[in-house]
Amino acid sequence: MSQPTIESILKEKRLFQPGAEFSQNAHIKSLDEYQRLYEKAAADPPKFWAELAEKELHWFKKWDTVLDWQPPNAKWFVGGQTNIAYNCLDRHLTTWRKNKAALIWEGEPGDSRTLTYAQLHREVCQMANVFKQLGVKKGDRIGIYMPMIPEAAIAMLACARIGAPHTVVFGGFSAEALKDRLVDAEAKLVITADGGWRKDAIVPLKEQVDKALEHGVPSVDNVLVVQRTGQNTHMEPGRDHWWHDLQANASGECPAEPMESEDMLFILYTSGTTGKPKGVVHTTAGYNLYTHITTQWTFDLKDTDVYWCTADVGWITGHSYIVYGPLSNGATTVMYEGAPRSSNPGCFWDVVEKYGVTIFYTAPTAIRAFIKMGEHHPKARNLSSLRILGTVGEPINPEAWVWYHRVIGKERCPIVDTWWQTETGGFMITPIPGAIPTKPGSATLPFPGIIADVVDLDGNPVGENQGGYLAIKHPWPSMMRTVYGDPDRFRRTYWEHIPPKDGQYFYFAGDGARRDETGYFWVMGRVDDVISVSGHRLGTMEIESALVSHPAVAEAAVVGKPDELRGEAIVAFVSVEEGYDAGDELDKLLKQHVVSEIGALARPAEIRFTDDLPKTRSGKIMRRLLRNLAAGQEIAGDTSTLQDRSVLDKLRSGA
């Protein structure tokens, strides 16, 4: 793939580039060096990744084959054996990093804890032994439903250490959503806490676990509970165990299990266009290598850095860029339990100042919230330690980018606007600071080894500045391997949406994009029925299924509409069964019902009641028209297939 020349890049207006001193000390020092790396990787991807794997990771046994590509199935480093927990912990213990801070944790009430690499290693070994004591064997799945506390990372690493794949469920999901994920993964053990702090309130996590298990999760034998908030907590005799009780008698020595490169590391559920969430499967070696090198190059990581990603470990960002990527590099990673709140809207800046954070990685939603809170909060803190800023989760609007650059970065910190997904495992398109000049709103260029393009639905590249589908044209090490228990869905969703052409397979990302005249990528958001609310992907079908499960709802259609703060807001169009009053009371009831079924993040911002929904003559709901209506836009495009025009007219008039 041809890359833009330095000259063409520098001719473009509104370019931002750090000073010469930054570039001289960066891992990749110039656009020229990036282009050489990119071309080397594109010419022979297996050789490129093999050289990095040998240099960057510890192996118990070297691989026989770098890449076995039988579309759509890829296997990386076949025959090799490694362990991601060993790469994150053990290998640092023979260096000066043994006593370096591995994890700095700050609780929302102000309590804090720092674990060195030696201390973190000991606690991970203890919990790995506890898991074995509870009957967990290599290959058994473990569910993790935790607040943002050190034990969440310890649990993940302990799972990886003994070869028990984890499935982390975001603590904001409801008992019903938790149950569905535990059942699908056939989890044997669940790890949780009595509660966690968020916005000055206790989130009762153990209570939700109890409800989930009451509904029937036959695979779960034991529940391990961290005492965090201290409220009265029901403990089921024989099933429930306090973390601290079992840890007290556990040995701090537990050898890391040599894992085959393609052994499953974790399942992480992400919303799709059907009601059932997809269990995205990631394996050991390729994921380890890719998160390691993307963390190192994209954040220009140094041993002196204090790195903070504000995500939750319940999402892929927390997996790749709080736990595995930073610790594999021997970095100091910060974890914060809470969120900006009325009692302390400037809490993020307190953490930056207190710990001298140098790399700060957050979501555009958070940045827009910071803007709304006012500049006086960051200006009241000393943020001079910051040297790199990042964004994740959704495209960032240029105005928020410029505010972030000016107010937080003081016009000296490069901003890495990263595009990637749960399915990709790590950054795919991203600036590399010191090498790639940035433009507000653009994720810039592909990471070396990633062959990306913007194509039409036949797989043909579209023209300059024309919208199309973002696609990846060659396998990469951290790519998802399958949908857990549903390989056909994996093939259909990701590899056949754009039909293979002359032996060329396209990974379909589900995002629209364009490339400008300098080759920079501009991601335009989802093209399927997935809504991105505050950077969290939610399937419209999942929310619709939750609404229809209520006896008052006959039919429901859910769409997203632009929202200045959250990126998108959820709008539900609902027709009700006879005998129910479509008024304010039902509006509140249905919103709470969705919260109970999925979680607070899925609460509709608006419910519009209607006698019917606009459908084609074949009975398909025309969500495109509903998106226009929700956004207050004129109806665009062909409406000739509309079955009953009066339905649309009533919705438009609000009748």
Side-chain angles (χ1 to χ4, degrees):
M1 189 175 86
S2 61
Q3 285 297 297
T5 64
I6 299 173
E7 290 74 23
S8 69
I9 290 285
L10 296 179
K11 279 180 186 174
E12 180 67 14
K13 295 178 182 178
R14 299 185 80 197
L15 282 172
F16 292 78
Q17 194 164 16
E21 185 180 347
F22 184 102
S23 296
Q24 285 166 10
N25 295 309
H27 280 282
I28 300 171
K29 304 182 190 314
S30 66
L31 187 59
D32 215 9
E33 186 179 342
Y34 159 79
Q35 287 177 316
R36 287 195 301 272
L37 261 177
Y38 189 91
E39 286 159 10
K40 176 184 176 183
D44 191 344
K47 182 181 177 184
F48 175 77
W49 292 116
E51 287 175 357
L52 284 171
E54 194 154 11
K55 176 189 169 197
E56 298 289 340
L57 299 186
H58 167 271
W59 296 86
F60 294 113
K61 178 177 175 286
K62 194 177 172 181
W63 57 88
D64 303 313
T65 304
V66 181
L67 171 61
D68 177 4
W69 175 227
Q70 306 291 328
N73 300 306
K75 295 179 180 179
W76 285 88
F77 309 110
V78 181
Q81 291 184 340
T82 186
N83 185 293
I84 197 169
Y86 188 100
N87 278 309
C88 287
L89 300 171
D90 302 60
R91 64 178 174 150
H92 303 311
L93 302 186
T94 59
T95 73
W96 67 271
R97 290 187 184 131
K98 178 178 180 178
N99 296 314
K100 177 184 177 179
L103 179 64
I104 295 173
W105 172 76
E106 180 87 1
E108 190 176 87
D111 47 342
S112 61
R113 191 178 174 204
T114 297
L115 289 164
T116 66
Y117 272 92
Q119 291 167 331
L120 184 58
H121 174 265
R122 176 175 172 77
E123 295 211 17
V124 166
C125 287
Q126 285 179 313
M127 294 323 297
N129 286 323
V130 167
F131 297 168
K132 289 180 179 180
Q133 178 189 329
L134 293 174
V136 174
K137 300 183 298 295
K138 182 178 178 179
D140 289 338
R141 274 78 63 207
I142 295 179
I144 299 174
Y145 184 66
M146 297 277 274
M148 285 291 287
I149 55 177
E151 288 82 359
I154 291 166
M156 292 166 69
L157 289 161
C159 288
R161 193 165 193 83
I162 63 171
H166 56 68
T167 182
V168 184
V169 180
F170 173 56
F173 276 122
S174 68
E176 186 67 23
L178 172 63
K179 182 206 80 171
D180 290 344
R181 287 152 175 79
L182 294 176
V183 167
D184 191 72
E186 301 169 289
K188 186 167 185 177
L189 167 68
V190 177
I191 305 169
T192 189
D194 51 358
W197 288 100
R198 188 163 180 85
K199 296 190 176 181
D200 300 320
I202 290 174
V203 180
L205 296 168
K206 175 58 165 59
E207 186 180 301
Q208 294 294 93
V209 170
D210 289 343
K211 287 179 183 175
L213 298 186
E214 279 170 19
H215 296 162
V217 188
S219 59
V220 172
D221 295 328
N222 291 283
V223 178
L224 192 56
V225 187
V226 177
Q227 192 170 50
R228 166 65 186 137
T229 47
Q231 76 271 29
N232 286 333
T233 300
H234 171 72
M235 298 291 283
E236 187 70 24
R239 184 195 73 183
D240 299 347
H241 315 271
W242 286 112
W243 173 292
H244 58 271
D245 284 344
L246 298 191
Q247 182 185 33
N249 299 315
S251 167
E253 293 293 331
C254 178
E257 182 75 22
M259 302 297 293
E260 297 295 327
S261 294
E262 283 298 316
D263 280 344
M264 190 194 305
L265 176 63
F266 63 83
I267 307 167
L268 187 57
Y269 288 86
T270 185
S271 292
T273 55
T274 67
K276 185 181 178 184
K278 300 188 292 287
V280 171
V281 172
H282 281 290
T283 54
T284 299
Y287 175 84
N288 190 171
L289 175 64
Y290 197 78
T291 55
H292 175 94
I293 205 65
T294 50
T295 302
Q296 186 184 118
W297 290 358
T298 302
F299 294 118
D300 187 41
L301 198 63
K302 307 278 198 291
D303 261 321
T304 51
D305 279 317
V306 177
Y307 164 89
W308 182 23
C309 169
T310 69
D312 191 286
V313 291
W315 308 111
I316 189 65
T317 305
H319 285 53
S320 298
Y321 298 114
I322 294 178
V323 181
Y324 292 121
L327 293 176
S328 183
N329 278 282
T332 296
T333 184
V334 174
M335 179 186 281
Y336 182 59
E337 180 183 29
R341 54 205 181 275
S342 54
S343 67
N344 188 359
C347 61
F348 274 18
W349 316 124
D350 288 338
V351 173
V352 171
E353 182 178 52
K354 180 176 179 179
Y355 296 109
V357 170
T358 59
I359 302 168
F360 180 72
Y361 188 40
T362 197
T365 305
I367 295 165
R368 291 191 290 268
F370 300 150
I371 294 170
K372 199 170 182 180
M373 291 174 194
E375 294 182 16
H376 60 286
H377 292 296
K379 285 182 175 177
R381 277 80 169 179
N382 180 0
L383 307 183
S384 61
S385 61
L386 290 170
R387 69 180 194 90
I388 292 176
L389 305 175
T391 72
V392 60
E394 59 186 316
I396 183 171
N397 53 302
E399 295 78 13
W401 193 103
V402 170
W403 184 93
Y404 196 31
H405 175 72
R406 178 178 59 83
V407 176
I408 307 304
K410 309 299 181 191
E411 300 186 358
R412 59 178 176 75
C413 296
I415 295 176
V416 291
D417 174 7
T418 60
W419 176 82
W420 61 299
Q421 302 174 310
T422 304
E423 294 89 340
T424 72
F427 307 143
M428 303 295 279
I429 301 173
T430 175
I432 295 177
I436 299 177
T438 53
K439 301 178 189 180
S442 172
T444 70
L445 299 171
F447 194 82
I450 301 304
I451 315 296
D453 207 349
V454 180
V455 301
D456 62 23
L457 276 178
D458 292 321
N460 302 308
V462 302
E464 187 179 288
N465 281 314
Q466 290 184 22
Y469 300 93
L470 186 49
I472 311 299
K473 298 164 74 173
H474 192 278
W476 64 100
S478 68
M479 61 196 285
M480 71 179 289
R481 298 306 195 257
T482 189
V483 172
Y484 186 69
D486 198 346
D488 288 342
R489 188 179 183 189
F490 168 66
R491 188 189 68 254
R492 291 192 314 270
T493 303
Y494 298 104
W495 294 99
E496 292 182 353
H497 197 93
I498 301 171
K501 187 176 182 181
D502 300 326
Q504 172 67 65
Y505 278 74
F506 300 86
Y507 168 79
F508 175 71
D511 278 331
R514 65 179 175 87
R515 295 180 75 186
D516 67 19
E517 57 276 13
T518 62
Y520 275 32
F521 285 77
W522 299 76
V523 180
M524 300 185 297
R526 302 299 297 170
V527 296
D528 56 16
D529 292 325
V530 174
I531 303 173
S532 181
V533 181
S534 299
H536 304 319
R537 287 170 59 192
L538 295 166
T540 55
M541 184 63 72
E542 194 174 3
I543 304 168
E544 289 169 8
S545 298
L547 284 163
V548 173
S549 72
H550 192 281
V553 177
E555 198 169 30
V558 168
V559 297
K561 74 170 183 178
D563 182 89
E564 189 177 316
L565 187 61
R566 291 168 290 185
E568 283 188 281
I570 298 168
V571 180
F573 292 84
V574 171
S575 59
V576 301
E577 297 279 7
E578 278 188 45
Y580 287 91
D581 179 28
D584 290 345
E585 190 174 334
L586 185 58
D587 180 286
K588 290 176 187 173
L589 195 64
L590 292 179
K591 287 177 180 175
Q592 187 52 47
H593 180 68
V594 172
V595 171
S596 300
E597 290 291 304
I598 303 173
L601 72 169
R603 183 196 302 270
E606 187 181 345
I607 292 179
R608 299 189 189 182
F609 293 107
T610 176
D611 292 336
D612 202 355
L613 295 168
K615 295 172 186 170
T616 64
R617 290 181 177 87
S618 62
K620 185 178 180 182
I621 297 170
M622 297 185 74
R623 287 177 175 78
R624 170 176 60 83
L625 305 183
L626 294 178
R627 279 192 285 270
N628 290 148
L629 288 168
Q633 300 167 344
E634 287 297 313
I635 298 298
D638 181 25
T639 59
S640 60
T641 59
L642 193 60
Q643 184 182 41
D644 184 352
R645 178 106 200 162
S646 67
V647 173
L648 186 60
D649 293 336
K650 283 180 184 177
L651 278 168
R652 194 159 33 189
S653 66

